[in-house]
Amino acid sequence: MPYEPPTHTVERSLRATTGAKIIAGVDEVGRGAWAGPVSVCAAVTGLRRPPEGLTDSKLLSVKRRTELAKELHQWVSSYALGHASPEEIDQMGMTAALRLAAVRALDALPVRPDAVILDGKHDYLGTPWKVRTVIKGDRSCVAVAAASVIAKVQRDKMMAELGIDHADFDFAANAGYPSPVHKAALEERGPTPYHRLSWAYLDALPQWRHLKKVRSWADGSVPEIEGQLGFDF
């Protein structure tokens, strides 16, 4: 299906309205997975013309995405990745884990950005960062699209490596997201050390439910379930 290529429109607007010179595009991958980290990439691209075919990583084939990521590694001005582990996700919830991963990525850049373009409508980064949220920014903004592709390819590679000792879960194919193979392996073998143990899928596994981690909520709030996929699919 044809799609409009991303542009530098938002970046130019930020430069004009805030005086920002170094702007990072930020995107995450792994929010809805049952296993593995949530990963965030921060990419700085400047205003150069992007590689042909750059867009949201989800719109690209595995082959094209992998090829494009290699090209982007050389094309971007700089990029860095940050991760929050399954244990950190269980301990602090997804929003805080996303912020942790994003800050790790931004702090790892060689130069601190003046502003950040964040994919989506929710600013999970917050102060002291100057943030512009853009819905579907991974399709419309060059820097965010670049971050999307690099993050997806890197996390997929990580999950394939983690899955070597857990072949029944087929992490190389599903990257820790729910799939029929993943579901069957969970029912038979229970969660691996890489699974998120505070998530709702364990409620549908009576024989493994005792492993579920429940955080205490002293402020009376309820656990975050945004992005969690149930066991029925």
Side-chain angles (χ1 to χ4, degrees):
M1 179 180 296
Y3 52 83
E4 291 293 324
T7 69
H8 295 295
T9 299
V10 176
E11 190 168 357
R12 292 182 189 279
S13 172
L14 279 170
R15 286 170 177 253
T17 58
T18 70
K21 295 182 179 179
I22 300 174
I23 300 172
V26 171
D27 198 18
E28 57 79 20
V29 63
R31 184 191 303 227
W34 288 352
V38 63
S39 301
V40 174
C41 180
V44 178
T45 66
L47 298 177
R48 292 172 297 149
R49 183 174 180 176
E52 187 70 26
L54 178 63
T55 187
D56 173 12
S57 63
K58 296 185 292 296
L59 299 179
L60 300 170
S61 68
V62 174
K63 181 176 183 292
R64 179 56 185 143
R65 193 164 59 220
T66 303
E67 293 171 346
L68 190 55
K70 292 178 181 178
E71 188 175 353
L72 288 168
H73 290 166
Q74 304 300 319
W75 177 80
V76 299
S77 302
S78 61
Y79 76 92
L81 287 116
H83 312 279
S85 69
E87 293 81 7
E88 289 170 329
I89 294 170
D90 287 337
Q91 290 168 5
M92 63 182 63
M94 182 52 72
T95 298
L98 277 171
R99 185 178 195 279
L100 180 64
V103 169
R104 286 171 173 167
L106 289 164
D107 283 347
L109 289 171
V111 179
R112 183 183 175 93
D114 301 312
V116 172
I117 304 172
L118 190 61
D119 182 52
K121 65 179 180 180
H122 175 56
D123 177 10
Y124 57 77
L125 190 56
T127 57
W129 302 94
K130 295 180 180 177
V131 177
R132 174 78 61 85
T133 58
V134 179
I135 296 173
K136 297 189 183 300
D138 48 8
R139 300 189 188 188
S140 61
C141 302
V142 169
V144 179
S148 168
V149 172
I150 294 171
K152 174 63 175 168
V153 171
Q154 181 63 28
R155 186 180 181 278
D156 282 357
K157 180 181 178 182
M158 290 174 59
M159 292 305 299
E161 292 171 351
L162 293 178
I164 291 174
D165 294 330
H166 302 276
D168 289 351
F169 290 83
D170 201 17
F171 287 159
N174 60 52
Y177 283 83
S179 72
V181 171
H182 191 168
K183 176 181 177 181
L186 270 171
E187 289 180 315
E188 180 178 351
R189 299 183 177 276
T192 70
Y194 310 115
H195 277 84
R196 303 168 187 180
L197 299 181
S198 61
W199 281 45
Y201 69 84
L202 278 172
D203 294 335
L205 297 170
Q207 68 274 42
W208 307 111
R209 196 179 298 155
H210 64 284
L211 298 175
K212 187 171 183 180
K213 293 182 178 179
V214 180
R215 286 178 289 135
S216 59
W217 297 83
D219 62 357
S221 62
V222 296
E224 299 169 64
I225 60 172
E226 179 186 1
Q228 294 194 28
L229 299 176
F231 209 72
D232 295 325
F233 52 85

